[in-house]
Amino acid sequence: MRRQSARRHYGVHPYFTRQVWNVVQEYIKNYSQPGDLILDPFGGSGVTAIEAIVLGRRAIHIDINPLTIFWVNALAQPLDLNEFGQAYDRVVAGFKRLVPKSEAEIQAALRKYPYPSGHPLPKNSDVDTIEQLFSDRQLAELALLKHLIISRSDGIIRDNLLLMFSGLLNRKNLTFHTDRVRGAAGGGSGIMKYYRYRIAPQPIFLDTMHYWGVRYRRVVSAKKELAPHFTVDTIKGFQAYQGTAANLNRIADESVDYVYTDPPYGAKIQYLDLSTMWLAWLDLPVSDFDRQQEIIEGGRLEKTREEYSDLMAQSIRELYRVLKFDRWMSFVFADKNPAYWHTIVETAEKAGFEYMGAVPQSNNQQSFKKVQYPSSVLSGQLIINFRKVRSPRAIMKLDLGDDATDLILETAENVIAEKNGATIEDINSELIIKGIELGFLDLLSKKYDDLSPLLDAYFDLDGETQKYHLPANKKFKSAIPVALRLRYFLLSYLKRKRQQKFDPDFSEIVQNIMPMLKNGITPEEQTILNVLKDLAWKMPSGRWRLRDSDQPRFDGF
């Protein structure tokens, strides 16, 4: 798979989410120039910052989780691979000589070599503290391995050996679940698979040195791939530090050229809580202040949706402050709750951003929760694009009144008809995009926390394809007034054309609008023209352009 062809991102270290590197590359290419400064304040696995450097830009990677700062910095630093190989060999030789074999030797090693203990795990974990995630033998071997790394190396080499060690932890614990088909090679920890510390029904013991060698080869492959790009000179344009997106006080006003970021999605993943194992082994502290600044819903501090929304809003205002005028921000997001989308779009608009469009992006991944709950868990995201301009155009509001549910269902019907069956992601993406473009996200957020029950009540879900279909012997809805249906689809179409900087003529408008209206009464062209004149003005060329809300209505030709 091409998305896994970049060794700098795949195989070095596991993480809960990871953007598709080639998609990130294309966005950076499109919205910035070589030498520009790229910012990702929810840096995560570091894809944005690393790809920015690969493309000849400068980059700032920020995250509240010190785990990501540790490994992104370790990965980015230029490394002498010969010296690294020698350090690796020393650790291997020491481990083979000292590894405990009997129960008595295991207990002796546990007394001799330090390991983390007593660190509380999240409430939904199968065990209470970190040391309970490991067998005595696993603890003894990991403690010995870490001791050898720290005592026999230093500086960049030590950091990269610890990077290997941290990656190894994902397999060397009792939450590791083997894959029924692929075995241990295709398995994974419950931490990544289930988003909780879930002990495997049948934990297995994996050979430490075998997988230590795997980690070494993967880090070396990543380093070779990055070597031409991360040099003594280019590393000067790279920063990675722990911090919160809600307070970018280390970044000057109007100094950033482009923002590409993938923030936490509400209560989906508790990043700091789920990183407890790695943070403890790597001696990376997390303060109460860090947890207060983490932009999630729930977690150890049981944050409310309002607290999440407030921190997200602060972050968007900070991004507006540091971004230069006439530059872009791409905001990656995924959630079925329209309230989260409303927070993002409304805050961005109030801050001064102009909404420029949204694009669905599949991540081609099936999480455990997606497999368990296919109609209520999303895979993939929307990438929402904003631009910082001096006179932003506000999103035109469309008053749907009591017809909101009917239009939601009609939008779903259109997607189902267009695709001959549509997934929850297909329908949700179209509804969110239309909710943004037509300004009714607020209404959606007040009526629905989750659209799945509504869809389940009106459509049939194919359990095999996970696609919604119109029930047998049921007609498409046509009870919505023609003028409202026209206004709804015309406004959406014209907004997209404006974003594409293209003014359609009347025949092009009719050609694109008619397929959307086939589910109900088909209007006459004169009816379309009457509604069009309310929304747009006719240029001398005969083409139509969406008017801003403060422009007068055009009545003549």
Side-chain angles (χ1 to χ4, degrees):
M1 294 174 61
R2 189 185 175 207
R3 70 185 301 273
Q4 294 191 7
S5 63
R7 305 319 306 167
R8 57 191 179 270
H9 300 304
Y10 295 94
V12 172
H13 200 290
Y15 201 54
F16 311 103
T17 56
R18 196 183 305 271
Q19 285 294 298
V20 183
W21 69 272
N22 49 306
V23 172
V24 177
Q25 261 208 7
E26 290 305 313
Y27 272 80
I28 294 173
K29 286 179 185 176
N30 190 51
Y31 293 119
S32 69
Q33 300 294 324
D36 278 357
L37 178 60
I38 314 301
L39 169 64
D40 187 347
F42 299 97
S45 60
V47 175
T48 300
I50 288 172
E51 291 310 307
I53 297 295
V54 167
L55 292 171
R57 279 68 168 168
R58 296 171 293 133
I60 300 177
H61 167 104
I62 304 171
D63 202 288
I64 200 69
N65 192 342
L67 174 63
T68 80
I69 308 305
F70 161 74
W71 99 57
V72 170
N73 271 326
L75 189 62
Q77 292 295 328
L79 180 68
D80 186 315
L81 291 181
N82 288 328
E83 291 184 8
F84 186 53
Q86 293 169 12
Y88 165 76
D89 289 338
R90 288 195 299 270
V91 171
V92 170
F95 185 89
K96 289 181 177 179
R97 181 169 55 87
L98 298 172
V99 61
K101 299 178 177 62
S102 67
E103 182 61 27
E105 289 177 342
I106 289 173
Q107 295 305 318
L110 291 176
R111 291 190 294 270
K112 181 176 181 180
Y113 305 116
Y115 60 87
S117 64
H119 296 266
L121 295 174
K123 292 179 180 179
N124 65 348
S125 305
D126 283 356
V127 293
D128 296 326
T129 56
I130 186 172
E131 68 272 21
Q132 295 173 292
L133 294 172
F134 307 89
S135 68
D136 284 353
R137 184 177 178 184
Q138 287 174 328
L139 274 179
E141 291 195 359
L142 289 169
L144 169 62
L145 185 56
K146 182 183 175 184
H147 167 78
L148 292 170
I149 292 170
I150 293 174
S151 63
R152 301 191 180 189
S153 60
D154 57 22
I156 296 171
I157 288 177
R158 182 192 62 185
D159 287 347
N160 278 271
L161 289 173
L162 286 173
L163 175 63
M164 292 165 49
F165 175 82
S166 185
L168 180 66
L169 285 173
N170 194 49
R171 289 179 178 270
K172 293 288 292 185
N173 67 78
L174 297 178
T175 77
F176 185 81
H177 291 62
T178 58
D179 187 278
R180 292 180 180 178
V181 177
R182 299 171 62 192
S189 70
I191 315 163
M192 297 293 171
K193 189 173 184 180
Y194 306 105
Y195 295 154
R196 76 179 184 89
Y197 286 92
R198 172 179 169 175
I199 302 298
Q202 295 179 319
I204 63 169
F205 184 82
L206 300 176
D207 180 79
T208 300
M209 281 299 97
H210 170 76
Y211 285 100
W212 180 243
V214 172
R215 306 314 310 174
Y216 172 72
R217 291 189 290 273
R218 289 180 175 178
V219 168
V220 167
S221 294
K223 286 291 184 177
K224 287 181 178 178
E225 196 174 82
L226 289 172
H229 310 287
F230 280 81
T231 65
V232 173
D233 292 327
T234 62
I235 199 68
K236 296 174 184 177
F238 176 83
Q239 298 179 57
Y241 62 86
Q242 185 186 10
T244 171
N247 184 3
L248 303 174
N249 58 356
R250 292 175 60 175
I251 303 178
D253 294 357
E254 298 174 29
S255 60
V256 172
D257 295 288
Y258 177 53
V259 174
Y260 185 101
T261 194
D262 177 23
Y265 309 150
K268 185 177 180 182
I269 301 174
Q270 316 302 323
Y271 291 91
L272 286 177
D273 285 350
L274 289 171
S275 298
T276 299
M277 180 180 71
W278 288 274
L279 294 170
W281 274 102
L282 295 172
D283 302 307
L284 297 173
V286 174
S287 67
D288 289 340
F289 177 78
D290 296 331
R291 294 191 181 279
Q292 290 167 5
Q293 295 299 308
E294 187 180 20
I295 303 177
I296 59 167
E297 183 183 341
R300 187 174 301 182
L301 300 184
E302 298 181 350
K303 291 185 180 178
T304 64
R305 182 174 299 173
E306 288 71 26
E307 289 176 299
Y308 169 85
S309 296
D310 287 346
L311 285 168
M312 185 66 76
Q314 290 177 39
S315 301
I316 293 172
R317 289 192 289 269
E318 276 290 84
L319 290 170
Y320 181 86
R321 177 184 66 80
V322 303
L323 190 64
K324 295 177 181 177
F325 277 100
D326 300 315
R327 295 304 186 110
W328 293 67
M329 174 177 74
S330 298
F331 214 83
V332 184
F333 203 73
D335 200 283
K336 293 193 290 56
N337 189 337
Y340 290 135
W341 296 94
H342 178 62
T343 294
I344 292 169
V345 175
E346 182 182 52
T347 303
E349 190 172 53
K350 286 182 178 178
F353 282 110
E354 182 173 332
Y355 167 75
M356 302 302 294
V359 180
Q361 175 61 48
S362 172
N363 62 10
N364 298 316
Q365 289 182 330
Q366 288 272 10
S367 68
F368 172 76
K369 289 187 177 180
K370 177 64 179 174
V371 174
Q372 266 195 324
Y373 310 107
S375 66
S376 60
V377 174
L378 296 182
S379 62
Q381 313 95 9
L382 282 179
I383 303 177
I384 318 173
N385 295 302
F386 299 96
R387 190 159 61 106
K388 179 178 176 178
V389 294
R390 298 188 184 278
S391 300
R393 288 180 290 204
I395 295 174
M396 187 181 297
K397 309 297 182 184
L398 180 61
D399 184 9
L400 299 181
D402 295 333
D403 296 298
T405 297
D406 285 339
L407 278 172
I408 289 169
L409 293 173
E410 180 160 341
T411 298
E413 288 178 351
N414 274 298
V415 180
I416 289 169
E418 178 187 350
K419 296 179 175 290
N420 192 26
T423 64
I424 180 69
E425 289 83 9
D426 295 331
I427 297 170
N428 191 78
S429 293
E430 187 66 18
L431 280 171
I432 293 299
I433 290 174
K434 277 193 164 50
I436 296 171
E437 291 175 345
L438 307 182
F440 62 83
L441 270 182
D442 185 33
L443 177 63
L444 275 181
S445 67
K446 291 176 180 176
K447 289 178 73 72
Y448 303 105
D449 282 344
D450 182 353
L451 295 170
S452 301
L454 179 67
L455 299 178
D456 291 339
Y458 281 85
F459 305 105
D460 288 342
L461 181 66
D462 185 315
E464 183 176 347
T465 65
Q466 295 305 317
K467 288 187 175 183
Y468 284 101
H469 294 273
L470 199 67
N473 303 318
K474 183 177 179 181
K475 295 181 180 180
F476 284 104
K477 296 181 69 66
S478 59
I480 304 168
V482 172
L484 180 59
R485 297 172 72 233
L486 267 174
R487 186 175 180 85
Y488 179 71
F489 290 111
L490 273 172
L491 188 53
S492 179
Y493 173 73
L494 290 171
K495 282 198 170 193
R496 294 187 189 186
K497 293 295 106 178
R498 183 170 70 181
Q499 289 156 11
Q500 297 168 7
K501 298 183 179 179
F502 177 79
D503 300 315
D505 60 28
F506 186 68
S507 63
E508 289 169 326
I509 293 171
V510 172
Q511 183 179 358
N512 281 276
I513 290 298
M514 282 300 189
M516 302 179 187
L517 302 169
K518 65 183 179 181
N519 301 338
I521 300 171
T522 303
E524 300 290 335
E525 289 193 4
Q526 184 60 47
T527 305
I528 297 176
L529 183 60
N530 290 339
V531 177
L532 179 63
K533 289 163 63 179
D534 244 356
L535 299 174
W537 58 282
K538 191 176 182 182
M539 302 169 64
S541 63
R543 294 182 173 274
W544 291 83
R545 179 177 296 174
L546 183 69
R547 66 180 176 85
D548 292 323
S549 55
D550 58 348
Q551 287 180 317
R553 181 182 184 277
F554 182 79
D555 292 312
F557 293 89

